[in-house]
Amino acid sequence: MYKIAVIGEYDSIYGFAALGLDTFPVSDPEEAKTKLQELAEGSYAVIYITEALAALLKKEIEKYREMLLPAIIQIPGVSGNTGAGVAGVKKSVEQAVGSDILFGQEN
């Protein structure tokens, strides 16, 4: 059975444990890179990662973009929403359906 993980700064992710998700607080990019590799190679189908951390791990995350599993999804952290998570989901949907899903909508 696949699981869901959340990686990021402790203050940004601790609430996800109450939802039954596995949380992995990390304090530096190297630790985060190692943890992401470990989770991606394990039994995790979805890995949520804070936008700030994902910005530091772009090359590592890109390795998994074309793979079926895991889905790596960016979420806002305590520092706020940068828009990177929405942009990533939008790009994935555009690739899947061949159309801009937000065409004609105001940002």
Side-chain angles (χ1 to χ4, degrees), residues 8 15 23 28 30 41 57-59 62-63 66-67 70-71 81 92-93 99 104-105 107:
T23 57
D28 66 76
E30 195 56 42
E41 294 169 8
L57 299 176
K58 284 183 182 182
K59 288 183 182 178
E62 193 61 37
K63 288 197 267 184
E66 298 298 321
M67 297 175 70
N81 185 354
S92 295
V93 172
S99 178
Q105 295 183 5
N107 291 334

Side-chain angles (χ1 to χ4, degrees), residues 12 16 49-52 74-82 85:
S12 296
F16 288 96
I49 185 168
T50 58
E51 291 173 337
Q74 296 181 42
I75 57 173
V78 292
S79 58
N81 185 354
T82 66

Side-chain angles (χ1 to χ4, degrees), residues 20-43:
L21 306 182
D22 295 339
T23 57
F24 299 93
V26 293
S27 56
D28 66 76
E30 195 56 42
E31 178 186 13
K33 179 180 177 181
T34 301
K35 182 55 70 175
L36 179 61
Q37 290 170 340
E38 177 185 318
L39 296 174
E41 294 169 8
S43 59

